[in-house]
Amino acid sequence: MMAGQAAQEEGVRDRGKWPLGFWLAILGIALELFGLYGLRMRTAPSASAVADNPAGEDFRTEEPKVPSSTSESPFSKRAVEKDWVDVQKIMNRANRLMKSIKDSKGVIRKQERWGDFLEPVAEIRFRQTVEPFRMHLKWIEPHPGREVLFNEDQDPQQLTVLESTPLGGLAPTFLISVDHKIAKQVSRHPLPEFSLDWLRGEMRRYVNRAARDTDATLLLNKKASVGGVPCVHVQLTHGTPKGVGPKKYQRVDLFFRKDDSFPIRWEKYGEFQDDGQEPSLVEFIELLDLEANAGMDGKDFAVDHPDFGFGKLIIPLN
């Protein structure tokens, strides 16, 4: 019996010699299993979400966290819950409306920050079709005369470019590949990032991320306006910055037309500072004079269209 007790005590001593890393690993596995179980419970769709969106196009897949006290939000808990439901309805309506647009034209106003440099506001007249994807851009400012034409059903690898120069109408027209260095000089962004479909995806990504972020807060203002147009203002603020590189952001402001929930302005702001100052603007995009489903087709994107300024002599560049 004494031998058995000695063996048992020896085993206890041996367990006590196991390294700290072993016990931390065991604890980590237990926490991971608990976290996965909790995540599965949180992502179950609510009955209200299914009822509001029978087509399955709900903008979020899990319920956002409601602030634990009214000190974290100017709204009561019940009001905050209702605001998230309202945002869901706005998002679903906006998503359906944007998906119904087959062609459109109007003006994009945009400004963005690259590093410490905030570029001047650009105004660009555009026209586009969704399928096939066609896009024409004509700069109003700051590069008047610059034009870009892309026509997927003619050549998905080529751009027609007219760069603004002091020569005005004598500026040459180039035919270049979509990844040519001139294309990157003309626009930092690929042409699809000017499309309504891309903007629709951005809108959904912003709200989806905020809905999943347990530290995100929502402010909803149903009496806002943009350029005199009555709007619903949705402000989404994260506890920590999201994204990487120069486009990292912590707050997003979305403005939806009040009459039909169409989004007309996106604003993105950087990291909040310790001194309490407002975060710096990362970028904004605004849509003006939008005309949708006008019945445009290939002839509206011909290089010799009278609305375009391309020259008759087009110089191909490799």
Side-chain angles (χ1 to χ4, degrees):
M1 182 173 179
M2 292 180 63
Q5 183 177 358
Q8 186 177 11
E9 291 174 356
E10 182 67 21
V12 171
R13 286 196 298 270
D14 288 342
R15 285 196 299 271
K17 294 178 181 178
W18 288 353
L20 178 61
F22 171 82
W23 296 109
L24 291 177
I26 294 297
L27 178 60
I29 292 172
L31 291 175
E32 182 69 15
L33 291 174
F34 179 80
L36 289 173
Y37 174 77
L39 177 62
R40 187 171 67 177
M41 295 295 290
R42 290 197 304 273
T43 55
S46 65
S48 62
V50 175
D52 285 337
N53 186 28
E57 292 182 1
D58 190 2
F59 79 97
R60 56 191 170 108
T61 57
E62 57 186 280
E63 294 296 326
K65 177 186 175 184
V66 176
S68 58
S69 70
T70 55
S71 64
E72 299 178 35
S73 168
F75 303 104
S76 67
K77 179 176 179 180
R78 178 174 296 179
V80 173
E81 289 174 339
K82 182 180 183 302
D83 284 348
W84 276 110
V85 173
D86 288 346
V87 169
Q88 176 183 349
K89 292 178 179 179
I90 292 170
M91 285 291 302
N92 288 338
R93 190 180 183 194
N95 185 59
R96 289 192 297 268
L97 181 57
M98 296 185 80
K99 287 182 71 174
S100 72
I101 296 176
K102 306 305 179 185
D103 65 80
S104 58
K105 59 183 177 179
V107 174
I108 294 177
R109 292 184 71 244
K110 63 188 294 290
Q111 185 178 31
E112 56 189 319
R113 182 181 302 277
W114 293 93
D116 295 329
F117 177 66
L118 184 64
E119 294 186 339
V121 175
E123 289 196 9
I124 306 169
R125 191 169 301 280
F126 75 92
R127 65 175 63 178
Q128 62 177 287
T129 60
V130 177
E131 292 183 359
F133 177 58
R134 307 181 185 98
M135 172 74 78
H136 175 261
L137 301 173
K138 187 171 186 175
W139 273 251
I140 301 171
E141 58 179 4
H143 305 286
R146 175 184 289 177
E147 289 187 57
V148 177
L149 176 65
F150 175 78
N151 201 328
E152 185 179 52
D153 59 347
Q154 289 191 359
D155 192 334
Q157 300 299 321
Q158 297 287 332
L159 296 174
T160 304
V161 175
L162 176 65
E163 182 59 288
S164 59
T165 73
L167 298 177
L170 298 178
T173 299
F174 297 108
L175 185 66
I176 62 175
S177 65
V178 293
D179 56 356
H180 195 282
K181 63 180 182 179
I182 292 181
K184 294 179 174 60
Q185 292 172 0
V186 170
S187 173
R188 296 179 188 265
H189 301 281
L191 282 192
E193 293 189 11
F194 288 92
S195 70
L196 292 188
D197 198 53
W198 185 83
L199 291 174
R200 180 177 68 89
E202 284 290 276
M203 170 188 67
R204 290 169 61 88
R205 280 188 286 273
Y206 290 146
V207 181
N208 280 337
R209 174 168 275 181
R212 291 192 298 267
D213 186 354
T214 57
D215 291 330
T217 59
L218 163 68
L219 294 179
L220 186 63
N221 179 7
K222 297 183 179 181
K223 297 182 179 181
S225 66
V226 174
V229 177
C231 291
V232 176
H233 175 197
V234 176
Q235 184 180 99
L236 306 165
T237 303
H238 295 272
T240 57
K242 304 300 175 183
V244 295
K247 297 305 178 185
K248 185 183 294 185
Y249 69 95
Q250 194 165 352
R251 193 185 91 195
V252 172
D253 294 66
L254 303 172
F255 296 82
F256 301 84
R257 279 195 311 231
K258 197 166 186 177
D259 58 352
D260 60 3
S261 297
F262 190 89
I264 60 173
R265 186 176 172 97
W266 294 251
E267 297 176 2
K268 190 158 63 174
Y269 293 88
E271 186 173 0
F272 283 82
Q273 304 300 315
D274 294 335
D275 58 9
Q277 291 186 358
E278 283 292 305
S280 299
L281 176 72
V282 175
E283 65 179 348
F284 86 82
I285 298 174
E286 184 176 348
L287 296 175
L288 305 171
D289 305 327
L290 185 69
E291 297 179 41
N293 294 329
M296 289 187 292
D297 56 23
K299 68 179 182 297
D300 296 291
F301 295 84
V303 70
D304 59 351
H305 192 282
D307 290 346
F308 303 165
F310 300 112
K312 293 183 178 179
L313 177 62
I314 299 179
I315 303 171
L317 295 179
N318 296 324

